[in-house]
Amino acid sequence: MDTPEAGTPSPDNEIESLTEFDASVAAGSLAGRRVQSVDLTDRSAALLATDTSGAVFLGCRMEPAAAEKVRAEGAFVFPPVPGLPFDPYRGLLYTPDALYDGLAQGGYEATPDAHAYRWFCRTRSDGDVFSSMLRALHDDAVSDALDELLVGTRVVGVMGGHATPRGSASYAAAARLGRTLARSGLTVATGGGPGAMEAANLGAYAAPHPDAMLDKACELLGTVPSFTPSVTDWAMAAFTVREQWPRGGRSVAIPTWFYGHEPPNPFAGHIAKYFANALREDGLLARSTAGVIFLPGAAGTVQEIFDSTTPNYYGSRGESSPMVLVGRDHWTRELPAWPLLRALAAGRPMESRIALVDTVEEAPEALARLSSTQGAADG
């Protein structure tokens, strides 16, 4: 279900669930609060009896009398937008169950994720300011929810190609990497798509389970190696793994409908899906505060390497974030990003925060070494 855990408090004046709403009413006032995408049709009595002056209601359903009363008290009411396949005011991140609702009954084309992608394809170039405003509202709400989720966590980004097939040695290695990172106490964040990204999220999901679980899961997933030709079969295989081994570890996925032909993988507990790819890319890298590991990939991964390099080069986000490139031959011969990265880093603080390793198994130790180097410098 696309709901917060019961009793989980919002860290600020935002109200994102009926539990938080009821607590605020019991405290005596809703004045100045921001109520975000909460169905209040059964809370008319509370709205009529409680001070709502200066409150903001974003996409909250209300009975007409309640809406009229809160407006009269000076509250701002942004009503739900009818006919949209997504909620532009959402207060929480997506879950796999929410994005893939209806998968078993109608296939992928019937899911909210597919509906949102089709809406995006229809409106992305139509020049309609209302559509672009709705996309911007949605993406800002997702960023806000993501920041709230990650408060106090150490996030490591794992980047890699979408084409890595299930059942391959590279996929299994990326999954073991995700498991190792999660077991070390880090929150794994990926671009949320298939391939190496799915593998890293799968590894984090497997972290609480016995080691043999991951091998069995990879074997099961290998029967559907790719999301082509059938996204439905690909996603159903993932949900079969989740059903067979429930209560997996949590990780974060940050995909985009800009690349909506690549479906989001179902192994991340929290999915921050964006319409604007540039906002998604920058947000993913900026939130990877414990560093980024770059697995072999193509143009998208190269872009992510240098998107991460630029703030490290200029120090625009403070201290440099560790960067570990995996695959010496790949990053020095096939796509020689490493020589350029090393040349840019020469003589700068980021020079001690980059590393190139041969294998995935070496990446966690390299990341820890780069992190301890910064700690020693700070001390």
Side-chain angles (χ1 to χ4, degrees):
M1 294 180 64
D2 197 18
T3 56
E5 296 180 7
T8 301
S10 179
D12 47 25
N13 70 337
E14 295 175 8
I15 294 174
E16 298 162 343
S17 68
L18 284 174
T19 299
E20 294 174 357
F21 178 85
D22 292 341
S24 294
V25 169
S29 178
L30 292 166
R33 305 300 298 274
R34 280 75 173 109
V35 190
Q36 200 168 347
S37 194
V38 181
D39 188 344
L40 300 176
T41 51
D42 292 332
R43 295 297 192 275
S44 292
L47 289 167
L48 292 170
T50 307
D51 180 13
T52 59
S53 58
V56 179
F57 294 88
L58 299 167
C60 299
R61 289 178 172 81
M62 288 183 267
E63 294 294 340
E68 181 179 353
K69 179 264 185 183
V70 302
R71 285 193 180 98
E73 282 189 336
F76 291 91
V77 179
F78 295 79
V81 181
L84 278 183
F86 62 93
D87 180 1
Y89 307 113
R90 62 180 306 109
L92 303 167
L93 297 181
Y94 294 98
T95 64
D97 289 338
L99 286 175
Y100 282 103
D101 186 37
L103 176 71
Q105 295 76 33
Y108 175 71
E109 293 304 315
T111 65
D113 186 68
H115 286 308
Y117 179 50
R118 287 195 293 271
W119 178 89
F120 176 61
C121 290
R122 288 196 307 270
T123 64
R124 63 191 295 181
S125 302
D126 65 4
D128 183 359
V129 67
F130 186 55
S131 297
S132 62
M133 182 190 74
L134 292 172
R135 293 194 296 269
L137 284 171
H138 170 274
D139 286 0
D140 186 70
V142 167
S143 290
D144 181 65
L146 183 58
D147 285 336
E148 290 175 0
L149 173 73
L150 297 179
V151 169
T153 63
R154 298 181 64 235
V155 180
V156 57
V158 179
M159 311 299 161
H162 71 273
T164 303
R166 293 169 170 176
S168 66
S170 297
Y171 184 96
R176 291 192 298 272
L177 172 65
R179 183 177 64 185
T180 298
L181 295 170
R183 286 178 174 176
S184 73
L186 296 168
T187 295
V188 173
T190 78
M197 295 173 281
E198 180 188 55
N201 287 125
L202 168 64
Y205 183 89
H209 292 282
D211 286 358
M213 171 264 170
L214 185 57
D215 295 333
K216 293 175 182 176
C218 286
E219 182 179 355
L220 192 157
L221 292 170
T223 62
V224 188
S226 173
F227 62 92
T228 59
S230 173
V231 175
T232 300
D233 292 346
W234 177 85
M236 288 294 292
F239 279 101
T240 298
V241 168
R242 286 167 51 94
E243 291 166 7
Q244 189 164 342
W245 293 282
R247 296 180 295 279
R250 293 300 182 96
S251 64
V252 176
I254 308 181
T256 173
W257 279 294
F258 184 82
Y259 296 133
H261 60 286
E262 297 177 12
N265 78 74
F267 290 111
H270 304 280
I271 303 176
K273 190 154 191 177
Y274 287 87
F275 289 107
N277 185 53
L279 183 62
R280 165 255 192 175
E281 288 274 9
D282 184 70
L284 171 56
L285 294 168
R287 290 174 176 88
S288 297
T289 53
V292 184
I293 296 173
F294 299 92
L295 301 175
T301 310
V302 171
Q303 177 182 342
E304 288 161 346
I305 288 173
F306 292 104
D307 281 348
S308 185
T309 297
T310 301
N312 281 348
Y313 181 88
Y314 289 110
S316 55
R317 293 181 185 145
E319 68 179 38
S320 299
S321 178
M323 300 173 62
V324 179
L325 277 60
V326 177
R328 189 175 302 274
D329 187 67
H330 184 84
W331 295 121
T332 60
R333 294 172 58 85
E334 294 180 35
L335 295 173
W338 173 252
L340 178 54
L341 175 60
R342 188 171 57 179
L344 285 168
R348 291 182 172 269
M350 68 174 290
E351 186 173 18
S352 63
R353 303 281 273 171
I354 63 173
L356 174 66
V357 298
D358 287 310
T359 65
V360 170
E361 288 73 21
E362 297 172 88
E365 188 279 329
L367 183 72
R369 183 178 71 252
L370 297 182
S371 299
S372 64
T373 299
Q374 180 64 36
D378 293 341

